[in-house]
């Protein structure tokens, strides 16, 4: 229990840290809330003059008027004496006119401060939400690839979209509501105490039961809130997967399957949400029953006090109106408190991401130029328990074309991922110009490379913006030059808007070969010193492959190249070929040397080309 309380306090403190940049707005809100609550209390207090003016009642008839008044009672009496002096004149007509003007002024100021508080709190809440979402997004982009391998895409989207909103509505916005409604409760409570401390004590005796109910319900609120947020993440994940894979869904006539999966996921959310709502709703309902019971007792006791001449009728009516007025803000405060467990659940999910550290740590050194060679020394790597690479050693000299070949799952693409530090090896070293790449800043290291993979991600933007992605200061001339080197300029120039043509989600408005040539242009636009082509043509037809291969050959001039290939025809002219099999390098040499060895590489060639000699 102590650990849970400590964790909740920690979560709340972490959440409050996002509020600090907006503390001035919070101060404005506090001031506006207090002014609103003050005038809201005054609007209820005007009931007493109504009775005194219309029904000619006089509180001075009560014994309490002259006996041992408390400080609050003295303040109350002085206030009403002052108020009546402003209102009452000899002419009843002008008395009513003055009273009407005071009522208008009080209600105008009350709503004026309420309106501006709503504006200020909107800026405050939206600012905090944006700050949290920006922080999460920035954190996600800083995390290593292994984090995304073990995380559901839909769950991450749900955290940014749904959990942040839940934290706002149940913690940040709740703080605002509790501040506003709580200040009203305080003002009304002081006002009730100034009228009759005894009746106030009777009226709020029910709050003991309310606190007990809230305390008992916390366990169930947290349980169903946890289920809600998990179910929300699940159906968001299903939604993301189905939309991104809609071509597969259509191809396999799987619409019904997709629909049923989404229905089941959303149904789990609905069930949890309904149970959560049942508990959240029943608490105020029970509290109201206790409050009405207390109100009934107050009415009876108050009537007895009138008969005993210790309370005036207008004071009792004022007390009852104030008691009715305090119920709504008090219920609102309790309702916000019972929503906190859901906020804590969402906050836990948010800070689980924010507290995650990238497995690939940044180094301290900058590297601006690749001078000599890349060395891989005795590298071991595993995604889980089984090694994907074992005791791999190789050298990639500057200015040479180096190829990695092998069957599917042999480890060649993983080796590329290690070179650009998507992951770090568990054992061994990778050195560039004699320095372990873990000592370099990640951004500095990756600036050396341009990468074209089998399935390049193009964004729903223009051709130009896709080419210069990540290099926003690239000028038009550089974009055009890169497109020419990538053999893409001719087809881009024929598009309706040329380089300003939107290419659709994932580049769906372009053919496979066109997408790959845009990807090649993106890889070379920053003039990288090392180009990596990871199965860049394996998914293309023969004609597209030939065009893209020509683009690759053109772009490689004067650069160091690492080519990962399944189609061996693309690497015949490489200076060095490393042959991978089951995570190890089993052969190395030029194409001719490897063919003469009559080993694993030759078998691969025979399988693809039917070569026998």
């Amino acid at each position: 229990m102590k650990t849970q309380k400590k964790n909740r306090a920690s979560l709340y403190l972490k959440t409050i840290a996002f509020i600090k940049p907006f503390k001035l707005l919070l101060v404005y809100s506090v001031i506006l809330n207090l002014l609103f609550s003050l005038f809201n209390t005054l609007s209820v207090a005007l009931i007493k003059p109504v009775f005194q003016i219309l029904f000619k009642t006089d509180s001075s008839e009560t014994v309490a008027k002259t006996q041992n008044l408390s400080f609050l009672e003295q303040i109350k009496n002085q206030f009403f004496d002052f108020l009546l002096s402003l209102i009452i004149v000899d002419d009843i007509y002008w008395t009513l006119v003055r009273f009407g003007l005071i009522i208008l002024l009080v209600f105008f100021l009350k709503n004026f401060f309420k309106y501006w508080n709503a504006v200020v709190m909107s800026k405050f809440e939206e600012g905090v939400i944006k700050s949290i979402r920006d922080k999460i997004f920035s954190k996600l982009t800083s995390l290593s690839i292994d984090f995304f391998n073990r995380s559901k895409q839909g769950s991450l989207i749900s955290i940014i979209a749904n959990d942040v909103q839940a934290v706002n509505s149940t913690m940040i916005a709740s703080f605002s509501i509790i501040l506003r409604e709580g200040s009203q409760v305080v003002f009304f409570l002081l006002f009730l105490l100034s009228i009759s401390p005894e009746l106030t004590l009777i009226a709020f005796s029910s709050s003991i039961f309310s606190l007990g109910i809230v305390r008992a319900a916390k366990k169930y609120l947290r349980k169903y809130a946890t289920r809600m947020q998990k179910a929300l993440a699940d159906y968001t994940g299903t939604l993301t997967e189905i939309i991104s894979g809609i071509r597969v869904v259509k191809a396999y006539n799987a619409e019904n399957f997709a629909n049923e999966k989404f229905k089941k996921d959303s149904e789990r959310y609905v069930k949890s949400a309904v149970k959560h709502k049942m508990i959240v709703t029943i608490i105020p309902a029970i509290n109201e029953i206790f409050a009405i019971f207390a109100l009934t007792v107050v009415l009876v006791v108050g009537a007895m006090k009138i008969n005993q001449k210790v309370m005036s009728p207008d004071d009792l009516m004022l007390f009852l109106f104030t008691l009715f007025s305090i119920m709504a803000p008090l219920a609102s405060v309790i309702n916000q408190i019972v929503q906190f467990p859901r906020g804590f659940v969402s906050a836990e999910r948010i800070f689980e991401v924010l507290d995650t550290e990238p497995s690939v740590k940044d180094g301290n050194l900058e590297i601006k130029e690749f001078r000599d060679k890349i060395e891989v020394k005795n590298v071991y790597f595993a995604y889980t328990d089984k090694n994907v690479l074992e005791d791999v050693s190789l050298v990639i000299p500057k200015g040479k074309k180096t190829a990695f070949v092998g069957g599917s799952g042999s480890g060649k693409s993983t080796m590329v991922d290690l070179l650009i530090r998507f992951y770090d090896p568990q054992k061994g070293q990778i050195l560039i110009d004699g320095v372990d790449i873990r000592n370099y800043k990640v951004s500095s290291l990756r600036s050396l490379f341009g990468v074209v993979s089998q399935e390049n991600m193009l964004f729903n933007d223009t051709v130009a913006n896709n080419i210069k992605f990540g290099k926003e200061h690239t000028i038009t001339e550089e974009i055009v030059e890169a497109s020419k080197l990538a053999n893409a300029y001719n087809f881009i120039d024929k598009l309706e808007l040329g380089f300003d043509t939107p290419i659709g989600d994932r580049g769906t408005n372009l053919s496979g070969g066109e997408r790959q040539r845009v990807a090649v242009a993106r890889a070379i636009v920053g003039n990288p010193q090392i180009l990596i082509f990871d199965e860049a043509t394996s998914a293309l037809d023969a004609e597209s492959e030939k065009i893209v291969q020509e683009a690759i050959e053109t772009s490689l001039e004067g650069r160091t190249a690492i080519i990962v290939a399944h189609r061996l025809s693309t690497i015949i002219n490489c200076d060095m070929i490393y042959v991978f099999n089951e995570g190890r390098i089993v052969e190395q040499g030029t194409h001719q040397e490897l063919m003469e060895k009559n080993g694993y590489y030759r078998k691969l060639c025979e399988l693809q080309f039917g070569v026998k000699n």
Side-chain angles (χ1 to χ4, degrees):
M1 184 66 71
K2 289 182 178 179
T3 304
Q4 286 182 353
K5 288 182 178 179
K6 187 176 180 181
N7 290 340
R8 290 173 190 173
S10 175
L11 282 173
Y12 212 87
L13 288 174
K14 287 179 179 179
T15 306
I16 289 174
F18 285 104
I19 295 175
K20 288 182 179 178
F22 307 94
K23 57 186 176 185
L24 190 59
L25 287 172
L26 192 58
V27 171
Y28 290 154
S29 178
V30 170
I31 295 170
L32 291 167
N33 268 319
L34 290 174
L35 290 170
F36 162 72
S37 298
L38 176 62
F39 282 97
N40 193 37
T41 307
L42 287 177
S43 67
V44 175
L46 292 173
I47 293 295
K48 184 178 176 72
V50 168
F51 278 92
Q52 290 182 323
I53 293 169
L54 296 181
F55 302 105
K56 308 294 184 181
T57 62
D58 188 356
S59 298
S60 62
E61 295 175 0
T62 63
V63 176
K65 182 73 177 176
T66 58
Q67 291 182 355
N68 301 323
L69 297 179
S70 68
F71 175 74
L72 287 175
E73 287 175 315
Q74 292 176 34
I75 295 294
K76 181 203 72 171
N77 289 337
Q78 289 173 7
F79 166 73
F80 282 115
D81 288 343
F82 171 73
L83 186 60
L84 289 172
S85 69
L86 292 178
I87 297 172
I88 297 177
V89 292
D90 293 336
D91 189 334
I92 186 63
Y93 171 78
W94 286 109
T95 296
L96 294 174
V97 169
R98 286 188 176 195
F99 189 39
L101 290 174
I102 288 175
I103 292 174
L104 286 174
L105 178 62
V106 169
F107 276 86
F108 170 79
L109 291 173
K110 166 189 165 182
N111 286 282
F112 175 82
F113 292 124
K114 183 179 181 181
Y115 168 77
W116 281 110
N117 179 60
V119 172
V120 168
M121 283 312 300
S122 178
K123 290 182 179 180
F124 172 76
E125 290 176 25
E126 294 302 328
V128 173
I129 289 173
K130 182 182 183 303
S131 176
I132 296 175
R133 283 183 174 147
D134 289 349
K135 185 75 173 178
I136 297 172
F137 191 83
S138 178
K139 184 66 177 185
L140 287 174
T141 58
S142 74
L143 293 175
S144 306
I145 296 295
D146 60 331
F147 171 82
F148 296 94
N149 290 345
R150 62 176 183 267
S151 303
K152 287 184 178 181
Q153 183 183 17
S155 181
L156 298 179
I157 293 172
S158 182
I159 288 172
I160 293 179
N162 302 322
D163 286 306
V164 172
Q165 189 60 47
V167 166
N168 173 62
S169 61
T170 59
M171 293 178 76
I172 298 169
S174 289
F175 176 78
S176 166
I177 293 170
I178 290 173
L179 181 66
R180 183 184 70 242
E181 305 296 338
S183 61
Q184 290 186 69
V185 170
V186 171
F187 278 114
F188 281 132
L189 182 60
L190 291 173
F191 197 45
L192 289 171
L193 288 169
S194 73
I195 301 170
S196 174
E198 182 184 349
L199 293 181
T200 303
L201 183 61
I202 294 171
F204 279 86
S205 60
S206 63
S207 61
I208 298 172
F209 297 100
S210 299
L211 292 173
I213 293 168
V214 171
R215 186 175 181 83
K218 275 186 177 180
K219 175 184 174 182
Y220 299 98
L221 287 169
R222 187 173 181 81
K223 180 174 75 172
Y224 291 121
T226 302
R227 291 181 182 178
M228 275 177 65
Q229 295 309 113
K230 185 180 183 304
L232 193 59
D234 287 344
Y235 87 67
T236 303
T238 300
L239 177 66
T240 304
E241 288 180 349
I242 296 302
I243 290 177
S244 61
I246 193 64
R247 293 174 66 88
V248 176
V249 173
K250 294 289 185 183
Y252 288 90
N253 294 319
E255 291 92 343
N256 289 336
F257 170 79
N259 293 341
E260 287 302 314
K261 190 174 189 307
F262 184 81
K263 284 179 182 177
K264 287 179 181 177
D265 288 344
S266 59
E267 185 179 0
R268 279 195 292 270
Y269 171 77
V270 169
K271 286 181 179 179
S272 300
V274 168
K275 289 179 179 178
H276 183 269
K277 190 68 175 178
M278 286 170 64
I279 299 173
V280 168
T281 306
I282 200 170
I283 292 173
I286 295 173
N287 288 336
E288 186 173 343
I289 292 171
F290 282 120
I292 293 298
F293 175 76
L295 180 64
T296 305
V297 176
V298 165
L299 186 59
V300 173
V301 175
M304 292 172 61
K305 285 180 173 291
I306 291 174
N307 287 331
Q308 295 168 4
K309 299 292 184 180
V310 294
M311 175 176 268
S312 65
D314 54 0
D315 273 345
L316 179 59
M317 293 307 297
L318 178 60
F319 189 92
L320 292 174
F321 270 97
T322 306
L323 194 57
F324 272 115
S325 298
I326 203 174
M327 283 184 179
L330 188 59
S332 181
V333 169
I334 293 173
N335 187 52
Q336 295 307 313
I337 291 172
V338 300
Q339 294 282 0
F340 276 1
R342 185 183 177 190
F344 284 125
V345 169
S346 293
E348 284 175 345
R349 287 165 54 84
I350 288 170
F351 286 105
E352 186 179 345
V353 173
L354 293 179
D355 292 340
T356 301
E357 292 296 325
S359 58
V360 175
K361 305 292 184 182
D362 223 6
N364 298 316
L365 302 178
E366 294 274 358
I367 180 169
K368 296 182 179 179
E369 185 180 357
F370 173 44
R371 295 188 177 91
D372 185 19
K373 62 184 175 181
I374 300 173
E375 295 176 273
V376 177
K377 294 184 176 181
N378 310 111
V379 161
Y380 288 77
F381 178 77
Y383 293 106
T384 52
D385 297 329
K386 184 181 178 181
N387 282 332
V388 179
L389 295 175
E390 293 185 351
D391 198 22
V392 172
S393 297
L394 56 88
V395 177
I396 302 170
K398 180 180 179 180
K400 301 295 184 179
K401 298 177 184 177
T402 302
F404 299 160
V405 301
S408 297
S410 60
K412 53 190 186 296
S413 292
T414 299
M415 188 67 250
V416 167
D417 289 345
L418 295 180
L419 292 175
I420 55 181
R421 286 202 76 196
F422 283 166
Y423 310 94
D424 282 331
Q426 280 85 29
K427 292 182 183 179
Q429 283 183 303
I430 301 173
L431 307 124
I432 293 183
D433 296 338
V435 178
D436 193 313
I437 62 173
R438 283 175 280 208
N439 294 325
Y440 292 124
K441 291 182 179 179
V442 174
S443 59
S444 173
L445 172 71
R446 289 177 185 162
S447 66
L448 296 177
F449 296 91
V451 183
V452 182
S453 60
Q454 180 178 349
E455 294 183 7
N456 283 286
M457 177 66 189
L458 297 183
F459 300 92
N460 194 354
D461 206 335
T462 64
V463 174
N465 287 339
N466 270 279
I467 291 176
K468 69 175 184 178
F469 182 75
K471 302 175 181 65
E472 299 305 315
H473 299 295
T474 304
I475 60 176
T476 302
E477 288 75 10
E478 291 172 329
I479 294 172
V480 171
E481 182 60 27
S483 70
K484 289 179 178 178
L485 288 173
N487 206 1
Y489 179 79
N490 288 338
F491 89 79
I492 294 172
D493 190 51
K494 293 176 182 178
L495 295 174
E496 184 178 359
L497 300 175
F499 284 91
D500 294 324
T501 303
I503 63 173
D505 191 30
R506 297 175 180 264
T508 52
N509 296 341
L510 304 178
S511 68
E514 289 169 342
R515 287 197 294 270
Q516 284 300 81
R517 281 178 277 168
V518 170
V520 173
R522 180 169 65 189
I524 64 180
V525 74
N527 196 27
Q529 298 173 50
I530 306 167
L531 280 176
I532 296 176
F533 293 93
D534 187 0
E535 304 277 14
T537 62
S538 61
L540 303 178
D541 57 66
E543 183 179 354
S544 297
E545 180 187 6
K546 181 180 178 181
I547 296 171
V548 173
Q549 191 60 42
E550 289 174 358
I552 291 173
E553 292 297 330
T554 304
S555 64
L556 288 180
E557 291 181 10
R559 291 187 175 91
T560 304
I562 301 169
I563 303 172
V564 179
H566 180 69
R567 294 183 180 178
L568 303 181
S569 59
T570 61
I571 52 91
I572 289 175
N573 296 324
C574 286
D575 299 294
M576 176 60 71
I577 300 171
Y578 290 98
V579 185
F580 286 75
N581 185 33
E582 296 183 353
R584 292 179 175 272
I585 294 178
V586 294
E587 292 177 339
Q588 63 186 67
T590 64
H591 171 72
Q592 191 61 39
E593 290 170 346
L594 292 171
M595 291 297 290
E596 291 173 358
K597 286 182 180 180
N598 199 26
Y600 184 67
Y601 178 82
R602 185 181 180 91
K603 289 181 180 179
L604 292 176
C605 288
E606 289 174 353
L607 286 172
Q608 287 194 21
F609 309 127
V611 176
K612 295 295 182 182
N613 51 49

